[in-house]
Amino acid sequence: MYQIRTDLALETQEKMQEDNVELKGVRFLEERVDKNLTISTVVIETENGAKTMGKPKGTYITIEAGNMDEEDEDYHREISVQLAKIIKKLARIKRDEISVLVVGLGNREVTPDALGPRVVDNLFITRHILKEYGKYAFGQDKVNRISSIVPGVMAQTGMESLEIIKGIIRETKPELVIAVDALAARSTKRLNRTIQVTDTGINPGSGVGNHRHGLNEKSLGVPVISIGIPTVVDAATIVNDTMYNLVNAMTQSPAFSQLGNSLEELNDAEKYELIRELLSPNLNAMFVTPKDIDESVKRLSFTISEGLNIAFMGGGAQRAHVE
Amino acid sequence: MYQIRTDLALETQEKMQEDNVELKGVRFLEERVDKNLTISTVVIETENGAKTMGKPKGTYITIEAGNMDEEDEDYHREISVQLAKIIKKLARIKRDEISVLVVGLGNREVTPDALGPRVVDNLFITRHILKEYGKYAFGQDKVNRISSIVPGVMAQTGMESLEIIKGIIRETKPELVIAVDALAARSTKRLNRTIQVTDTGINPGSGVGNHRHGLNEKSLGVPVISIGIPTVVDAATIVNDTMYNLVNAMTQSPAFSQLGNSLEELNDAEKYELIRELLSPNLNAMFVTPKDIDESVKRLSFTISEGLNIAFMGGGAQRAHVE
Amino acid sequence: MYQIRTDLALETQEKMQEDNVELKGVRFLEERVDKNLTISTVVIETENGAKTMGKPKGTYITIEAGNMDEEDEDYHREISVQLAKIIKKLARIKRDEISVLVVGLGNREVTPDALGPRVVDNLFITRHILKEYGKYAFGQDKVNRISSIVPGVMAQTGMESLEIIKGIIRETKPELVIAVDALAARSTKRLNRTIQVTDTGINPGSGVGNHRHGLNEKSLGVPVISIGIPTVVDAATIVNDTMYNLVNAMTQSPAFSQLGNSLEELNDAEKYELIRELLSPNLNAMFVTPKDIDESVKRLSFTISEGLNIAFMGGGAQRAHVE
Amino acid sequence: MYQIRTDLALETQEKMQEDNVELKGVRFLEERVDKNLTISTVVIETENGAKTMGKPKGTYITIEAGNMDEEDEDYHREISVQLAKIIKKLARIKRDEISVLVVGLGNREVTPDALGPRVVDNLFITRHILKEYGKYAFGQDKVNRISSIVPGVMAQTGMESLEIIKGIIRETKPELVIAVDALAARSTKRLNRTIQVTDTGINPGSGVGNHRHGLNEKSLGVPVISIGIPTVVDAATIVNDTMYNLVNAMTQSPAFSQLGNSLEELNDAEKYELIRELLSPNLNAMFVTPKDIDESVKRLSFTISEGLNIAFMGGGAQRAHVE
């Protein structure tokens, strides 16, 4: 079977359906919130399901909105509100006051990879104020303890994000980690229009950059919710995918009936080989992204940080402090 | 004939050769400076040549160096020195003191398009010092009058670069414009390893962003030398190109002889149609770039700004002022 | 009389009052909008008034709000709304559709001087859309034509802002220029809490950096509204001012009666001389600014850009496009 | 005794001398390297000396160069070379291969506080390459293991730098920490012209921002070398200092003999009280910095990062990798 590279469980699920692969141990649910907003849930329930999907067991919730990266007076607050609900649901927070470390993954210097760092820029941070002045400073009974870090990428630090985050967790003992990262999609149509929230953390092969080791409950010792938006497609994926479609089109098109016949005789492995030979090895280190990615990342990072601010700082007086 | 999209005259020339197109009115010259450094010159001499090449008449000089974007103690000063020579040659400067406006085109917020703005960041600017203190400040007989501008992109300013530059030229009357811009190549292999210097300016369809109107001697009224490095490949180009290769491979491969026959029956227009149908329209607004583009742009912008500093400020005492 | 250095007409007016200088040809008006918001108007009506005030004839409107740079859910939209009203009033716009060039003065690389460039970052720019698609794109009858430029500072460009703006105006013919700039106040208490809007433009000696020549209706040929927030106090001013107060305190304090007597014998010129000798010449090139200036500039630039977006793009559907 | 606020041991030592305070337990040494470069060493040898100086026991080496922040072709490599020597000497590295964590303290968003983060931007990082490919990748027998982190400031992270660094050290076990930070001087004359290197780490009250808890061998468990350049003077210090000088001038000047007499009758506490009353409380949260601080920080950060690259990566082939 032809493997695709995507960080979106939704896309993997769609591909399985396309290929008529029977998905055991995977539940799927789609809810149309309004004409612009769809929320889908993929739950991978068994190890078998995880194997077929190529993703760890857990819940993957996807917010899709066609207008997500368009200009909007309040940065799509309606999406931020949905995001806040999903975060709270996935985090299964029972206590009223928890301490949360938000991690902005990715490389601030590469526009489509700057999503995580830029989300952190607009968070309302409370931990240091609570430590110094107590809840008094907020005029509230219950205030969550929010801290954040932008660890940078390995080429800048020489360290894996896991090492940095693990150390900080040991020292500051948050009860929950939120990891925000730019993702890679399979289809350019999904770019900057989809938010994926999962309780499985960040796993190897995810993201624009390469996080070698996963950031998840197992590696960090605390629950990890990850929030991501696909901002790139791998260059190899886009070429691969289009060529695969080309070969399939030829196979099916009556205009190319003779052609189709000979291609049909090729098995998937042979098709793959044919394609692979034509692929530049350079493509593996390349990505595809829209020309106006700067504006999308600016807006989307604000939508996510507002979602987090609503989830953890609520509305009203407290939100007044959101930068 | 299948059209390719590249800002590099060298790539167009190569494609013509590949396709056995006879190039009348175009001269080509290649000089191997050392094992790492090749300088090629394409001169488009006639309107006919310009038509075939899809580029205006003029001289296109290309510096190629495989290690250009690798780390280097002095940011590849050997390349800066070659660049300085080429700039001086193309600018045909006869007088000893000239006034030069360096224009850093592109979008500072999109990493591969930030080349122009970042080159300007490291230029040694003299115009204001000369105006206020005279040559005395430099302890030199002859000092060129260097000014610079980063006009931004249309989505930021609402104006075309041409309008901004034209206005500034009217007001400050430079004798020469140097326009620096990130380019689009056809092949990923050329990215961040090639500098093109031309006396034709920047022309429609060039660059990562879209400069609607050209910046050239005709539109600006002063000679325009443009310096560019390809930092992206258009997403459509990369997919198109690979698919074209796939179709050609099928045509030629004995293993697909039957297939080849049916494909051979397709003419270029039909092949193109077949490919076009599979191409996502999104691809037109997308580009392909390496994941470590931040480091390449940082280094390459320094190599170019040093080239300009050497060309216009010479060595010795003056260069001591280069930031 | 001891000269103070401030860009705020309000501070000059206060100082005159303090010193019991009779202000002929200057009108003053104060309006308390609510407990947090005061709007003051200084109108310099005669050349004599201009001479006494050391500022050109015209209207200077100041919005003061103690909480202006504090965190706020919607970036103090109430202030943006007031600002929009003042801009429209001062600009005396009669026609329904005008073309406006917004100029973001200052140095993006120096935090307190980055106000102008950062305001421009969040403006809703329409000129290029109107030119390409017409009003149709906005679904409106009347759409103002907004363009913007960040000219940079002389050390970066070698050109004066005036030269750059003048050229762009000649080419693009806006009917109104809005110049946004960081200002210098006399008192640290005013920093980041005061917006000054005037119809006199930007004049020599204004701003954090040094705009050598004024940007005003006379130099540019179109009306110029300038909007500024004091983000710094000149280091010389702060030292000067405190020392002046010290000398005055000594003069008046009964505890230092003997001292007072000898100081009283000094005239203003002698006092000034005494102070000047102690002042480091370095101080002239230095400024004083709060440690959290990054957060203030971030918030305040948003408050101003929203004011401009409301003034020129109105509310409702159009505002939906504000980034 | 009137307390001054400076991070430079050299300035404290000078002040003591000025005030004729006998400095027991403190050694001082000055070496004139050439006409532009002076290296001073203050060694605080006893707890008593530490108390008098208000700084922990240890060695403070200061490089002074009048032209340090001026433009220079190779970013004052001669200073980088001296810095490398001093680092190696203070670090007392005996083994040939050590692992070093470089910490870039301060706030990247506030220009004079961005020194630490910007130094880290230009470091040659090796740890991840060594881990993945071994020394083979460098073609060397001995390669130091360099990693780095920019922890951000408390307002951004909600955490103290100490917590972040401590956690990372536990996880990655470096043998040496280098902390780079912007400092506060007493005199504007020292700004951007002085590098202080100490083996005492960073201690409370240091820097532009406020590091609440020290980063030193005691708190981190590994030796800490700190490198700093004064980029600001506290606003309170500058006003205080000038007023103190004013009062002293009055005391001594024959022209103010009568005045002098009455002032002489004031003791230091009374003088201080007189001054304090005139000081705005705002001043404590403010700093003084030069208007061209962006250019100085850009250049100086390069000088320091080159010093570190030379110290840890030597010259020759390896340095070829320095970005």
Side-chain angles (χ1 to χ4, degrees), chain B residues 20 34 46 65 79 108 113 119 132 143 151 210 231 240 249 252 322:
Chain B
N20 294 314
D34 64 41
T46 64
I79 298 175
R108 196 187 279 281
D113 202 22
V119 164
E132 187 154 355
V143 182
N210 235 341
T231 59
N240 234 318
Q252 283 147 25
V322 175

Side-chain angles (χ1 to χ4, degrees), chain A residues 248-268:
Chain A
N248 281 342
M250 286 175 175
T251 313
Q252 281 146 26
S253 160
F256 304 102
S257 59
Q258 211 179 343
L259 196 89
N261 292 341
S262 22
L263 276 168
E264 225 153 62
E265 286 159 28
L266 301 177
N267 59 25
D268 264 9

Side-chain angles (χ1 to χ4, degrees), chain A residues 71-73 75 319-321, chain C residues 71-73 319-321 323:
Chain A
E71 286 174 318
D72 181 67
E73 182 180 358
Y75 291 89
R319 285 216 59 267
H321 295 265
Chain C
E71 285 175 320
D72 182 66
E73 182 179 0
R319 284 215 61 266
H321 296 265
E323 283 174 56

Side-chain angles (χ1 to χ4, degrees), chain A residues 197-212:
Chain A
V197 192
T198 96
D199 55 6
T200 60
I202 300 280
N203 293 288
S206 289
V208 179
N210 236 340
H211 309 294
R212 311 282 288 308

Side-chain angles (χ1 to χ4, degrees), chain D residues 7 19 31 52 54 107 123 145 150 166 185 202 234-235 309 323:
Chain D
D7 294 323
D19 293 356
E31 182 200 354
T52 323
N107 184 350
L123 281 184
R145 191 171 285 255
V150 173
K166 227 167 144 177
I202 300 280
D234 271 4
N309 286 331
E323 279 173 57

Side-chain angles (χ1 to χ4, degrees), chain A residues 12-13 48 56 85-86 93 99 110-111 130 140 145-146 151 156 162 203 245 250 254 259 275 277 280 292 303 315 321:
Chain A
T12 310
Q13 191 266 348
N48 238 346
K85 273 191 215 164
I86 293 169
I93 302 164
S99 60
V110 174
T111 315
L130 286 168
Q140 303 270 336
R145 191 171 285 254
I146 314 295
Q156 291 159 354
L162 177 61
N203 293 288
N245 292 341
M250 286 175 175
L259 196 89
I275 289 168
E277 269 173 28
S280 158
D292 61 352
T303 302
H321 295 265

